[in-house]
Amino acid sequence: MRGLHADTGYLLYRLGLRSGQLFNTFLQESGLRLRHYAVLRFLATAEGALQRELSTRLGYDPSAIVGLVDDLEKLGFAERRPAPDDRRSRIVVLTEDGRAFLRGTDEAGLRVTNELLGPLGPAERDALHTLLLRVAEDRLS
């Protein structure tokens, strides 16, 4: 029987958990969680998204997206607007306050990365990032 540390999937899972814990600790003072952050980061790359698109792209249950967007609206970080091509549908867009919040998280993201990847040198970090990106683009898009 192989040990857990011989299983790459398990190692990725454990590192993901640790990354989430570290980032949630930083986000805690704002009242947000990593799931809120993921919605905000996605919206920062789009001109707006339907809630069902957020659900599909982020892999969250549609009912969870409703609550996350509600939370972000209450904080003024996102808002629902009529979709330009279908006024019955609503798109979620990032507000200027949401953009400012994201800019403030950049340093925390670097701290989390540095803590997780501390044993790796710059070239190894770049190689790991490149490999993870390749896997993510192939499997998560």
Side-chain angles (χ1 to χ4, degrees):
M1 182 164 127
R2 297 183 318 154
L4 282 176
H5 290 120
D7 185 330
T8 302
Y10 176 77
L11 290 173
L12 287 169
Y13 166 74
R14 291 290 303 173
L15 287 171
L17 282 178
R18 183 66 183 139
S19 176
Q21 290 167 343
L22 291 169
F23 214 86
N24 276 330
T25 298
F26 164 75
L27 290 171
Q28 195 170 25
E29 65 191 46
S30 68
L32 297 181
R33 307 278 300 158
L34 192 52
R35 298 179 81 151
H36 295 99
Y37 175 80
V39 171
L40 290 172
R41 277 288 171 206
F42 180 84
L43 292 174
T45 66
E47 292 296 317
L50 296 169
Q51 288 183 172
R52 68 178 165 265
E53 180 185 6
L54 289 171
S55 172
T56 301
R57 298 286 298 221
L58 297 173
Y60 297 161
D61 186 81
S63 62
I65 291 293
V66 171
L68 293 170
V69 173
D70 286 347
D71 294 343
L72 294 172
E73 271 194 314
K74 286 176 190 161
L75 291 167
F77 292 168
E79 62 186 26
R80 292 175 175 101
R81 295 181 184 162
D85 50 343
D86 181 0
R87 306 236 354 104
R88 294 173 296 167
S89 295
R90 311 287 276 171
I91 60 170
V92 182
V93 296
L94 190 63
T95 64
E96 279 308 311
D97 285 347
R99 288 184 198 290
F101 175 80
L102 282 176
R103 283 190 296 275
T105 64
D106 290 342
E107 184 180 320
L110 286 174
R111 284 197 313 264
V112 168
T113 298
N114 287 336
E115 182 165 333
L116 286 174
L117 303 181
L120 303 180
E124 292 170 313
R125 288 180 185 207
D126 288 344
L128 177 62
H129 183 85
T130 299
L131 293 170
L132 290 173
L133 204 61
R134 188 180 337 152
V135 171
E137 287 174 349
D138 186 51
R139 302 283 183 234
L140 302 177
S141 42

